[in-house]
């Protein structure tokens, strides 16, 4: 039942960061128990709600777990680096170096401080990030058209109703032409999250609020959640599109389901179905929660794809690993053939690893401009 992989960094921190310290054995045993307990955060989450994705503890407890889990994750590589240096010096002629106690203490303090900063960065209401996307042959009526891109809200015990309300207020104040949400609205059941998502009903934009599901919606009764979000005025583009117009010109806003959908018996992403009946030659903007299949969208003539899912990699350095699982796309703007792809760092992120260092959350205002 114990989750082995997250317990390994904790075991290393105990062996190399706690046990060598000149402290009483009972104190070291107590710290070891706390570290092992914190490393099992995802197990406790599963026991609290039946799902590792929805820790149903009071918010301060979820924050504390994330801080402790993050401190362990940061301390382990710091201590490993010290040990590697000591090992290299040991094999050199005349070498040999014992790691000073003060250095171990410094690694512990630095990891605790960085984890606290990382959790704070994750929890804040995200700042605005302005992104200009130039598109060849953009109809003049859409020059300056703005899309407010929200994604990965992960509304949960960690990101509850007050946080959602502040995000909605900030989003509405921007006055975007359209609001697009690329999935992962929630972590938790409809019964648990009903009050927390209620502020989303107040989202407003001239051309409406449109969205696609993310993979987390399929973990928690997808069909019930889609009906509820529609009831809040959020129109779901599940392998479908809508047509927006300006001065007689058309923009096709299309959306596909998440690539994880077939695992729960739901239709997978189908871009052909999403674009069926769309005006020929119209500019296409695609909403797809995951960026991995951007090349297919580019081949189909999509001008701009908006995605999330990666949380920007969360921590600079870790983002390189996240990119490997997403066809190399993790954060920011990319050119894929003739298509522009934008991958948002996310409005929030999964409460099971709520840490950000060097990859801040964002409210992304996309402004379309005609190339040249």
């Amino acid at each position: 039942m114990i989750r082995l992989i997250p317990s390994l960094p904790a075991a290393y921190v105990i062996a190399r960061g706690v046990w060598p310290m000149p402290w009483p054995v009972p104190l070291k045993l107590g710290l070891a128990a706390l570290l092992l307990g914190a490393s099992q955060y995802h197990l406790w989450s599963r026991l609290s709600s039946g799902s590792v994705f929805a820790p149903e503890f009071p918010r301060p407890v979820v924050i504390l777990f994330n801080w402790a889990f993050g401190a362990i994750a940061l301390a382990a590589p710091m201590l490993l680096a010290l040990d590697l240096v000591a090992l290299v010096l040991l094999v050199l002629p005349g070498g040999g170096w014992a790691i000073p106690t003060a250095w171990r203490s410094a690694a512990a303090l630095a990891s605790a401080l960085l984890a606290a900063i990382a959790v704070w960065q994750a929890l804040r209401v995200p700042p605005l990030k302005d992104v200009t996307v130039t598109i060849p042959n953009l109809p003049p009526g859409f020059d300056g058209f703005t899309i407010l891109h929200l994604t990965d809200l992960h509304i949960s015990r960690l990101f509850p109703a007050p946080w959602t309300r502040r995000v909605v207020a900030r989003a509405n104040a921007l006055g975007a032409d359209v609001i697009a949400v690329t999935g992962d609205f929630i972590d938790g059941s409809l019964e648990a999250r009903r009050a927390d998502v209620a502020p989303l009903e107040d989202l407003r934009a001239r051309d409406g609020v449109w969205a696609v599901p993310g993979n987390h919606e399929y973990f928690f009764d997808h069909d019930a959640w889609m009906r509820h979000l529609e009831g809040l005025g959020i129109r779901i583009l599940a392998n479908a599109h809508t047509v927006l117009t300006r001065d007689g010109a058309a923009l096709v806003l299309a959306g596909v389901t998440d690539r994880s959908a077939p695992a729960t018996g739901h239709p997978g992403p189908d871009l052909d179905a999403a674009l069926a009946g769309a005006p020929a030659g119209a500019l296409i903007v695609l909403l797809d929660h995951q960026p991995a299949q951007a090349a297919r969208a580019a081949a189909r003539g999509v001008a701009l794809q908006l995605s999330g899912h990666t949380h920007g990699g969360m921590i600079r350095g870790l983002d390189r690993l996240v990119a490997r699982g997403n066809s190399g796309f993790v954060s920011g703007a990319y050119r894929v053939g003739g298509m522009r792809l934008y991958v948002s760092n996310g409005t929030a992120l999964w409460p099971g690893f709520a840490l950000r260092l060097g990859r801040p959350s964002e409210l992304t205002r996309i402004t379309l401009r005609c190339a040249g």
Side-chain angles (χ1 to χ4, degrees):
M1 195 172 185
I2 292 177
R3 299 175 69 88
L4 178 61
I5 292 177
S7 68
L8 293 178
Y12 194 86
V13 171
I14 292 166
R16 303 301 301 151
V18 173
W19 215 253
M21 301 299 283
W23 298 333
V25 171
L27 175 60
K28 291 192 280 191
L29 287 173
L31 286 173
L34 288 173
L35 288 168
L36 286 174
S39 75
Q40 299 303 301
Y41 171 39
H42 298 145
L43 172 61
W44 310 136
S45 294
R46 184 181 294 278
L47 293 176
S48 75
S49 68
S51 171
V52 69
F53 297 103
E56 295 296 341
F57 307 114
R59 189 171 189 255
V61 175
V62 180
I63 292 172
L64 185 61
F65 262 126
N66 274 281
W67 170 77
F69 196 81
I72 292 169
L74 293 168
M78 290 184 191
L79 292 169
L80 178 60
L82 287 175
D83 284 341
L84 289 174
V85 171
L87 183 61
V88 169
L89 292 176
L90 180 65
V91 300
L92 292 175
W97 178 61
I99 302 172
T101 297
W103 288 47
R104 298 184 196 276
S105 299
L109 289 173
S111 62
L113 178 60
L114 284 173
I117 293 170
V119 171
W120 175 79
Q121 290 276 345
L123 295 184
R124 65 179 180 166
V125 174
L128 174 66
K129 181 177 182 180
D130 270 309
V131 176
T132 299
V133 177
T134 57
I135 297 178
N137 303 314
L138 180 71
F142 285 102
D143 189 43
F145 186 86
T146 55
I147 304 169
L148 184 64
H149 181 202
L150 308 179
T151 189
D152 299 279
L153 286 86
H154 291 279
I155 295 169
S156 57
R157 282 292 184 99
L158 190 59
F159 299 102
W163 179 90
T164 310
R165 197 172 296 114
R166 292 196 296 271
V167 169
V168 168
R170 186 166 293 182
N172 287 343
L174 296 173
D177 289 300
V178 69
I179 295 175
V181 190
T182 52
D184 279 8
F185 283 86
I186 49 85
D187 277 307
S189 67
L190 178 56
E191 179 182 0
R193 296 283 85 81
R194 188 183 299 272
D196 295 321
V197 301
L200 295 179
E201 188 172 17
D202 295 328
L203 280 172
R204 295 288 184 272
R206 173 181 176 182
D207 290 294
V209 182
W210 301 86
V212 294
N215 57 312
H216 280 232
E217 275 72 65
Y218 295 95
F219 300 153
F220 301 101
D221 196 350
H222 163 274
D223 295 347
W225 268 116
M226 293 303 101
R227 289 192 297 270
H228 188 71
L229 291 171
E230 289 269 9
L232 296 178
I234 299 169
R235 287 168 279 188
I236 306 298
L237 295 170
N239 297 328
H241 74 268
T242 189
V243 179
L244 309 178
T245 59
R246 289 287 190 279
D247 300 333
L251 181 152
V252 173
L253 182 64
V256 293
T257 57
D258 189 71
R259 61 194 295 212
S260 67
T264 58
H266 293 87
D270 186 339
L271 187 52
D272 288 337
L275 297 178
L283 173 76
I284 302 170
V285 176
L286 176 66
L287 310 182
D288 186 349
H289 177 63
Q290 301 193 39
Q293 301 190 49
R296 295 185 185 181
R300 191 64 174 75
V302 172
L304 170 64
Q305 176 176 322
L306 301 180
S307 296
H309 181 63
T310 65
H311 306 158
M314 295 160 289
I315 296 174
R316 192 173 292 275
L318 180 62
D319 57 346
R320 294 301 91 206
L321 294 176
V322 175
R324 291 174 65 89
N326 291 277
S327 300
F329 308 121
V330 64
S331 175
Y334 300 86
R335 184 183 292 273
V336 185
M339 184 185 80
R340 276 66 170 176
L341 166 67
Y342 188 81
V343 183
S344 169
N345 288 350
T347 314
L349 76 177
W350 174 47
F353 194 78
L355 303 158
R356 287 190 182 274
L357 286 173
R359 289 298 186 206
S361 55
E362 60 186 72
L363 292 175
T364 319
R365 181 166 57 189
I366 308 286
T367 302
L368 304 185
R369 291 296 182 189
C370 184

